[in-house]
Amino acid sequence: MMFGSGPDPSLRQPIEFPTQEHCWDYPRPPSLLPCSKPITVSINNTKILHTINSFRILETYHPPTYYIPKEDFVPGVLVEEPGLSSFCEYKGAATYY
């Protein structure tokens, strides 16, 4: 959100953009949406991921999160963190790399 400026501070009003989303408007339980938007991840100018097969999760009071299939990463770049996992009542079990 941006604020308009004017000579009188009492005239400052929030400026809403038509495409702006608010995380407090996201559903509970979360919404899982397929996303064909291209996503690229590079480390030190080396591309380790390019996908159009992600999922976008919209969850109340959380910023949008993209879940990416591990198969879409360049083979060998992901290393599973042993013993590190979590569980969400809505999203299920998670493994970390």
Side-chain angles (χ1 to χ4, degrees), residues 12-34:
R12 294 178 57 143
Q13 298 293 320
I15 299 171
E16 295 284 338
F17 294 98
T19 58
Q20 187 171 358
E21 297 179 353
H22 299 284
C23 63
W24 52 84
D25 292 332
Y26 293 160
R28 190 146 185 97
S31 178
L32 178 66
L33 307 171

Side-chain angles (χ1 to χ4, degrees), residues 4 6-7 13 29 41 43-44 60 64 67 71 75 77-79 82-83 88 96:
Q13 298 293 320
V41 176
I43 297 177
N44 295 328
T60 309
Y67 281 46
E71 296 80 22
V77 300
L78 295 180
V79 177
C88 170
Y96 296 87

Side-chain angles (χ1 to χ4, degrees), residues 33-39 49-56 66-72:
L33 307 171
C35 180
S36 60
K37 173 181 167 181
I39 296 176
L49 166 87
H50 179 77
T51 188
I52 55 170
N53 300 312
S54 65
F55 292 90
R56 189 168 184 246
Y66 291 88
Y67 281 46
I68 300 168
K70 63 183 175 182
E71 296 80 22
D72 288 357

